Each structure stands twice: as structure tokens, then as C-alpha cells.
Amino acid sequence: MSVVEEWGATANASTSANATTSSLADAVRRTALENGIVRPARLQCLLPLQLGRRAAPLRPAPSHEAVAPAPHQAARPLLRPALRNGPLRAAPGHARRADRLPQGGLHRLPLHRHAGDDARARRGAQGVQLRRRLPRLRRHGRLLRDIHGASLNAAHTLVAGQSDIAINWSGGLHHAKKADASGFCYVNDIVLAILELLRTHPRVLYIDIDVHHGDGVEQAFLSTDRVLTLSFHKYDHLNFFPGTGALHETGPEAPANPGAHHSLNVPLHDGIDDDAYVALFRGVATRCVDAFRPSAIVLQCGADSLGGDRLGRFNLNIAAHGKCVEWAKAQRLPLLILGGGGYTARNVARLWCHETSIAAGCALGEDALIPEHTPYRKAFEGVENGEGLLYPSLHDIEGKRHVNEFNTREYLAMLEEKIAEQLRYMKGAPSVQMRRVPRGDVWALRKSIDEEMREEEEAKGVGRKEAERGVGRRGELVV
């Protein structure tokens, strides 16, 4: 589950909430541009702890932002870091279409009414409340900064060619929208990561295998044909969050809209098992790659689609879930792997350990045991907790197995046929005109931010005091 569902505070947000939004925008920019992580390996595994090393205080929000802005104005601070140098630019050999990415920047892309808004209103009238107030997190600004910065850095390593696969298990917050936090997702890191990839990649394929529909990402790219969203999820418009993602929801209804037929949904019922899920995933995803021809893939690996999850309703095992990562890796395209939902923590840890091994090309063995030195080792012990195995059987847990009644062979074949029919509307991969991105832009921006932060430190006397004490400072040995 995932992102600030609408990229900013709402019109009736409090003064402190708007100050937090402004600070978050600065923090995202600084984290993404200053705390770059470069490793010699071709696999980048980015965690938020690796990005929280900045000691400099956040710049306070300007006084004029203390007044709650309108929703369209609140959207700008969060996107300003990516758009500071104007609209998206790309590397040599690629191109950008002015009619699909307006000169004013991506924050001016038209926002269409979500296909599920009317349905949600009807459900509210019926007393079915699927969208609840999210809990407030202590120090949430720093947490969101770290999650955002990790995903942006992961995308940057792919754009810069430093790695072929980048992982951020703390990311994957796919429910947040432009001005609406939802589904435990306060900020949508997936959307910002895809925007970073679009700087150099003409087309990006986003695949979501969380048990919940990736509505936030779908809505963000509803009006562009440069991103194809594909979501495999449980669908029940009355009783399962978020109530969207029906088979017929394929993007804007207007045929002239570039995003038409570029939002594909695969709605599933309770209890789908390994063989049916893997066969359906491979068939549908392969068709999408053949028709759309993406130059990069973003894979959201929500662990709540595993069997035994507290919220999920599928019967998948860890190995079957990992088959999706194996398929994505086999496409030999730049691959960004993100986390997502998962509400049985021990199985989330097992799954992401397994999928990290797939990305790194390591075999762990079917009968592998969780090492004794693992923190919270007792949580994995016992019959109900998998007896310490890395790959316990999750499809037949007593009391947690879901009946597979409606995912029949005929139904799954119908889903694949309908997806193939939607793909035929594409008439080939969309042509995207792009232009050269001067290499100095990013570094010039980084240098200007460094100078601003240095001036702030000097104004507070931090630099002078450290110099007097002779304390070693960051970067003093860099040539």
C-alpha cells in the first residue's frame, strides 16, 4: 500500500501541517541530491537508514506558507524539486513530447476524476466506510523523507547507469494521491521514482502485485501514455479496500486522451493459488511488454498477497511470489523493486529476503533455516510460525486458508483475453520525442543547495564552532 495520495495538504489543513509539507519538500530534495549512494555492484539495495545521515537542520517553512494553500497550490512544493529546472528532460538519443508533458511541468498535467469516486460516495451512503483516518506518526516528516529519498536514489542509480536493479523495501506506498493520504500511505514514493525514470526512459511499465489495487499510481499517470500501469489484486467494490480496480477501468474514457487503455487491472477473487497466479502473471505481463515495449520496469512487491496474511485473501507461497521478480529480472531492463503492504511481519521478512536473493542471483535452498543470530528469532519458531523455516508452507495454514471458488480456469482465461483486447488499442508502442539533458543541471542544482546549507550553518555559528574545536567535518578529505 503506498504515497501522499494527492501530493500535498488539503485546503483545510492546519498551519503545522503546511509547515511540515514545506519541510518535507526541502528534505526530499536534499536527500535525493546530497546523500547519493554509489556502490560498485550492479545491485543497489537502498534502505531509509542509509539516507538519514544528515546532521544539518531542516530549513523552516517561509512565513507566507503558514496560510493553508488551495489544493492545486499545495501540490507544487512536493514536485518542485523534480521540476526546478523546468519540464522533464532526457538523455541523448531520447525525446519528449510537448503535448504530453506541458511546458509548465508535470504538476500541470490534467487530473481526471477517479473512476471510483462515485462508487465510494454510494458506499458511504450505504454506511460502508472503507477509508478511515490514518494515524499520526511521531516524527513522520523524517520517516517520509527517508522513504522518499530512498526511492528517488534508487531511481537515480538506474538513470545514471550505476546499477541494473535497485531495491527499496521501505517504499511502495501506492495508495497516496495528490492531496489525500490513504491506506497507510502518506506520500507516493512510487510516482516520484517513475517521474525520475521518465527523465531518460521514454516508457515505464509499472506492475503491482500487492493484494490491494494500486489506485494512487494509476491516478497519477491517468492521462499519459508514457506509463503503463498493471495491477494484480483482489477486487470487491463493496467490502475490500480501496474498492477500485475493476476490469473495465482502463483509463480515461475519451479515446483522444493519450492515457486511454494504459491503466490495466486484473481483478481476482479470494483463494487464488500458486500455479494459477504465476501462469496468469506471466501471460498478462509478457503481453504488456510485447505491446508497450517499456525501457524500464517498476515492480511493487506487496507481501500481503501471501497466504496467511492478516488482511490479504490469497493462498500464495513465497516461491510463487518470487516468480514475479524472476520474470521481471529476465526482461533485462532497468528494474526498480519496491516493497508495499504486508501484515504478517515474519512472512514479510521471509519474502523480501527471498526476493533480494533472486535479484542478487543467490540460491538459499528450499529447506533453508532462519539463522540463529536473526533478531526476533523466536517469532519464526513454532508450528504456527513456520518452525524456523525460510520457506514454510503458507497456502494451507489451518484456519487461514481461503476457499478458491471463483478463480476458475475459464475466469482467468477471460481476464487474459480482455487484457489482450485492451492492448490492441495501443497500435504499437507510443512514440515519445525527447531532448538532450545537459549533465551539468543536476550538479549545478546540488552545488547551489550546498551553498545554501553552508550559509545557514555559518549564520548559526555551527561552522565556526566546529573549526575552533578542530572537529573533523564531512567531506574534508574529498579531493
Side-chain angles (χ1 to χ4, degrees):
M1 307 174 61
S2 347
V3 225
V4 168
E5 282 196 321
E6 300 267 350
W7 302 109
T10 56
N12 59 352
S14 64
T15 299
S16 60
N18 288 297
T20 300
T21 300
S22 177
S23 299
L24 175 59
D26 289 333
V28 169
R29 178 180 61 186
R30 295 180 184 178
T31 303
L33 296 178
E34 293 185 0
N35 293 325
I37 299 175
V38 180
R39 297 183 182 179
R42 299 297 290 175
L43 171 68
Q44 290 282 344
C45 186
L46 303 177
L47 300 176
L49 292 179
Q50 295 173 296
L51 298 173
R53 299 174 181 171
R54 290 201 37 76
L58 296 180
R59 184 166 48 192
S63 58
H64 67 273
E65 292 188 3
V67 180
H72 69 280
Q73 295 173 334
R76 296 185 180 181
L78 285 174
L79 287 180
R80 191 178 294 124
L83 302 171
R84 186 164 179 174
N85 292 322
L88 293 182
R89 298 182 175 89
H94 298 294
R96 182 186 67 82
R97 281 191 59 171
D99 59 332
R100 296 173 191 173
L101 293 176
Q103 291 296 325
L106 277 183
H107 63 284
R108 295 187 183 177
L109 282 174
L111 294 176
H112 293 264
R113 183 176 179 85
H114 195 279
D117 287 346
D118 295 334
R120 288 197 186 98
R122 290 195 299 271
R123 289 197 302 273
Q126 298 169 1
V128 181
Q129 183 179 359
L130 296 182
R131 189 179 298 269
R132 298 179 176 88
R133 177 180 296 178
L134 298 184
R136 290 197 62 179
L137 302 178
R138 297 185 62 183
R139 306 177 70 178
H140 64 282
R142 179 172 181 175
L143 173 64
L144 297 180
R145 177 197 70 184
D146 291 343
I147 294 174
H148 247 85
S151 294
L152 284 172
N153 269 284
H156 179 70
T157 60
L158 298 177
V159 170
Q162 297 173 358
S163 60
D164 300 317
I165 302 174
I167 303 175
N168 175 26
W169 291 126
S170 65
L173 308 179
H174 61 173
H175 289 306
K177 302 181 181 65
K178 182 179 178 182
D180 186 11
S182 173
F184 309 122
C185 304
Y186 297 82
V187 183
N188 202 319
D189 63 295
I190 303 176
V191 173
L192 290 188
I194 293 177
L195 291 178
E196 180 68 18
L197 293 174
L198 290 175
R199 289 174 60 87
T200 56
H201 295 283
R203 292 175 296 276
V204 175
L205 171 62
Y206 169 73
I207 304 177
D208 193 315
I209 55 176
D210 193 286
V211 76
H212 300 90
H213 176 227
D215 54 339
V217 182
E218 176 182 293
Q219 187 177 118
F221 299 105
L222 203 62
S223 298
T224 178
D225 57 1
R226 291 188 60 187
V227 179
L228 175 65
T229 61
L230 174 63
S231 179
F232 296 81
H233 54 270
K234 170 181 164 52
Y235 174 70
D236 185 342
H237 70 286
L238 289 178
N239 303 308
F240 197 74
F241 181 87
T244 56
L247 182 61
H248 67 272
E249 296 178 13
T250 59
E253 296 181 359
N257 193 308
H261 311 291
H262 282 75
S263 300
L264 304 181
N265 293 297
V266 184
L268 301 170
H269 301 290
D270 291 355
I272 190 167
D273 55 21
D274 294 352
D275 294 339
Y277 189 90
V278 173
L280 179 65
F281 176 87
R282 287 176 174 171
V284 172
T286 301
R287 288 176 181 269
C288 290
V289 169
D290 293 341
F292 188 64
R293 288 188 294 176
S295 55
I297 297 176
V298 177
L299 179 62
Q300 198 266 19
C301 299
D304 48 9
S305 50
L306 291 176
D309 189 83
R310 294 182 180 181
L311 295 185
R313 307 285 295 178
F314 292 167
N315 294 328
L316 299 183
N317 285 296
I318 293 174
H321 200 283
K323 294 289 185 183
C324 302
V325 179
E326 291 181 4
W327 176 91
K329 181 182 178 181
Q331 304 309 305
R332 297 186 178 278
L333 294 172
L335 175 61
L336 174 58
I337 302 176
L338 301 171
Y343 306 96
T344 303
R346 55 181 173 272
N347 293 336
V348 175
R350 287 178 167 119
L351 174 67
W352 290 347
C353 173
H354 170 65
E355 293 180 342
T356 301
S357 71
I358 293 175
C362 303
L364 301 178
E366 296 182 0
D367 299 327
L369 292 173
I370 295 177
E372 294 293 336
H373 63 268
T374 302
Y376 308 104
R377 178 66 167 72
K378 293 184 179 180
F380 299 90
E381 299 175 354
V383 177
E384 294 183 354
N385 300 331
E387 298 182 322
L389 294 172
L390 181 60
Y391 302 110
S393 178
L394 302 179
H395 68 281
D396 56 356
I397 301 176
E398 184 177 355
K400 296 183 178 180
R401 177 171 175 81
H402 307 288
V403 178
N404 186 12
E405 183 177 359
F406 300 105
N407 294 304
T408 62
R409 184 175 301 178
E410 293 75 15
Y411 176 74
L412 299 180
M414 181 273 295
L415 290 178
E416 189 168 352
E417 181 180 351
K418 291 293 185 181
I419 295 296
E421 180 180 343
Q422 291 297 324
L423 291 173
R424 282 196 287 269
Y425 284 103
M426 289 186 183
K427 300 178 181 179
S431 176
V432 182
Q433 181 183 2
M434 306 187 74
R435 66 182 185 183
R436 179 183 177 86
V437 178
R439 292 188 176 182
D441 281 2
V442 174
W443 297 110
L445 177 59
R446 177 173 179 174
K447 184 178 179 180
S448 66
I449 295 176
D450 285 338
E451 293 176 354
E452 292 177 6
M453 296 181 62
R454 191 178 300 109
E455 292 175 359
E456 292 177 4
E457 293 177 354
E458 292 176 354
K460 295 180 179 181
V462 177
R464 178 179 59 80
K465 292 179 180 179
E466 288 185 356
E468 291 176 354
R469 291 199 305 267
V471 179
R473 303 185 64 187
R474 179 181 178 185
E476 66 177 3
L477 300 180
V478 178
V479 179

